[in-house]
Amino acid sequence: MKKGLLIILSGPSGVGKGTVRRYIMDNFDLPICYSISMTTRPQREKEVEGVDYYFVTPEEFQRNIDANNFLEWEEFVGNRYGTPKDKVEELRKQGKHVLLEIEVNGAGEVMSKVNDDRVISFFLMPPSLEALESRIRRRKTESEKIIKERLDKGKKEMTMTAQYDHVVLNDNVARASQEIVDLIEQKAKSK
Ligand code: 5GP
């Protein structure tokens, strides 16, 4: 059996990575498992523990770093986020594709660490900075200070797209998802 792909989906905060990922998982018949990250960020109202994230204290996060439990981890606007490594390889060996939704530094780390050729990476690009800002604001989950920090960080991230295999414009969720799925299917078929 062919090993499943490791799919990296990055892009600035607010670009709609989660929406695109859910659209792909709901509308296409691909064997994709979402890798649930661990974070120290406070849980948002609509988020579910163990579905969106594993929400942990800074101490618990540190214990996981010390125990070498992460494939990668990063600090993002004052909180820590990490990809638990236990399930990633196990699922890929079963032929399932594992999707990581992570920011650019973590994405770079994964790309340099996981050196097999069944990795495919995407950077999801907003149609404009205005669109990005209005999406973050619409979420109504962050303070003004954090919104500004996330936008600044997003602008920097948008200059770091060279490390990705594909840059996909999120002008429309269905269209962007279709583009990503086509590229995943092509890659899955390759040797
Ligand atoms: P948010 O707080 O908006 O859920 O996530 C902030 C940023 O951290 C987003 O760009 C998100 O994709 C990224 N992120 C989520 N989980 C991880 C992870 O495990 N590792 C890394 N490096 N970034 C993550």
Side-chain angles (χ1 to χ4, degrees):
M1 186 197 292
K2 257 191 206 171
K3 195 171 174 183
L5 300 177
L6 185 61
I7 304 167
I8 299 173
L9 182 60
S10 280
S13 167
V15 71
K17 298 184 290 278
T19 309
V20 165
R21 184 241 312 161
R22 281 187 291 272
Y23 188 93
I24 291 174
M25 295 183 73
D26 291 348
N27 293 284
F28 295 90
D29 197 17
L30 284 172
I32 294 182
C33 298
Y34 175 53
S35 159
I36 303 163
S37 295
M38 198 175 280
T39 184
T40 61
R41 168 169 74 60
Q43 189 170 357
R44 293 178 188 146
E45 208 176 299
K46 286 189 185 147
E47 289 177 327
V48 179
E49 160 70 22
V51 173
D52 297 293
Y53 281 109
Y54 298 110
F55 295 95
V56 299
T57 59
E59 293 73 25
E60 200 172 339
F61 197 98
Q62 186 60 48
R63 273 197 294 276
N64 279 277
I65 296 175
D66 296 341
N68 195 23
N69 287 344
F70 291 123
L71 177 58
E72 62 74 40
W73 69 269
E74 288 293 332
E75 190 142 334
F76 183 93
V77 190
N79 289 298
R80 285 175 166 188
Y81 299 80
T83 304
K85 68 175 167 196
D86 56 349
K87 300 234 175 67
V88 174
E89 276 311 295
E90 190 186 314
L91 288 165
R92 291 185 68 204
K93 277 191 195 128
Q94 294 167 15
K96 299 195 177 102
H97 308 322
V98 177
L99 190 150
L100 311 182
E101 207 180 292
I102 58 179
E103 51 69 64
V104 290
N105 297 321
E109 203 181 324
V110 172
M111 289 182 226
S112 62
K113 259 192 199 163
V114 181
N115 52 0
D116 64 61
D117 55 6
R118 294 189 60 76
V119 178
I120 185 166
S121 58
F122 299 93
F123 187 89
L124 198 60
M125 189 64 105
S128 66
L129 276 177
E130 291 72 30
L132 188 66
E133 179 160 358
S134 75
R135 259 195 74 110
I136 296 189
R137 288 190 184 284
R138 235 184 304 147
R139 239 172 19 195
K140 293 200 170 68
T141 48
E142 271 91 21
S143 68
E144 189 59 31
K145 178 174 170 278
I146 299 284
I147 290 173
K148 290 229 164 68
E149 285 175 18
R150 282 183 177 247
L151 278 170
D152 281 348
K153 178 97 178 169
K155 283 182 205 163
K156 282 192 202 110
E157 291 188 310
M158 281 154 65
T159 65
M160 294 168 72
T161 57
Q163 64 178 343
Y164 293 88
D165 297 321
H166 306 283
V167 176
V168 174
L169 182 68
N170 190 16
D171 49 352
N172 170 289
V173 174
R175 196 211 61 76
S177 302
Q178 183 69 60
E179 186 179 337
I180 292 173
V181 167
D182 289 346
L183 290 161
I184 290 173
E185 283 180 331
Q186 249 175 50
K187 177 81 182 177
K189 273 189 222 139
S190 69
K191 268 216 300 167

